[in-house]
Amino acid sequence: MKLIMLLSSLYFSLPLFASCCICQTDNEIESEIPFYELGCQMWLTGKFCSFEKMVDFDEDLNDVLPKDCDDKKVKIGYVGHWSSSWRSERFIESRIMPLIEERKMSVEIDNTACSATSDTTKLQEFILSLNIPFEQYLMFKGNQVTSTGLWRRATPWKENFYSIADSRSQDPQFPKCSEFEDRTCSAEFQKNESAKCSDDDSGDIRSLQCCFTEYEFERSEQRPGPRRPGRRERVTVETTGYAWVDEARCLPAEDYEGYGLTDNIVRGFRD
């Protein structure tokens, strides 16, 4: 029994619970606020912070965060609309730096809205210019282009093309290209948008565009024919549609109208 109590006390004293968590909701479109609040509830789930609260974007974070959060790591989520990395810079300057300078907090920001890191390199340079003390840090994660934020779970696309600016690094951080390349994007709201990624082999920064193209993807398919009928297997499918690819692979969509309705299985159903 004593062992169980000891392990329990150690578990609840782990750094996992040493963070304070705030989720901000946009307030510009009143009819959408309930959806933002739902998104914040989703964001806060599983954070296991010592302090958790959902707040309106205009609330003063300095007033919201209790004194117990001083000298700790603060995680700040945001659900709503955004516009650019320029707005992210202004937010950091006016709302976040007082927490870092006056209350000695380290801050991790997870902005789930559109285009919060539209120019990640410039945002990285801005954060480095703030000269945040070595023992503290500021990390800002956002989407480079239009996104669906937390609603990605309800869509078939790979649309949250994120990037990170961090005071602990000299360079911005981009996702591996394999995470997005040849993955479906949204023709409705991401068409012709571009985002940066890091080449898996060389580490070079590349740009991928959401455009109409020929690409391959994997899916589960039911095996036809007499051999193992009905068994589901992974197959590679060749199709056309909107996906994240190098600009050189973009095709004029009007020339391929209707072509992508029939997928061609190019690899799979091996004995």
Side-chain angles (χ1 to χ4, degrees), residues 137-149:
Y137 69 91
L138 168 62
M139 186 275 286
F140 192 108
K141 180 180 180 181
N143 295 303
Q144 301 178 57
V145 294
T146 307
S147 68
T148 56

Side-chain angles (χ1 to χ4, degrees), residues 91 194 216:
F91 171 71
S194 297
E216 295 181 354

Side-chain angles (χ1 to χ4, degrees), residues 85-86 89 119-128 165 172:
S85 56
W86 181 87
E89 291 179 16
D119 189 338
T120 319
T121 300
K122 188 175 181 181
L123 182 60
Q124 175 73 25
E125 292 171 351
F126 171 76
I127 288 178
L128 291 178

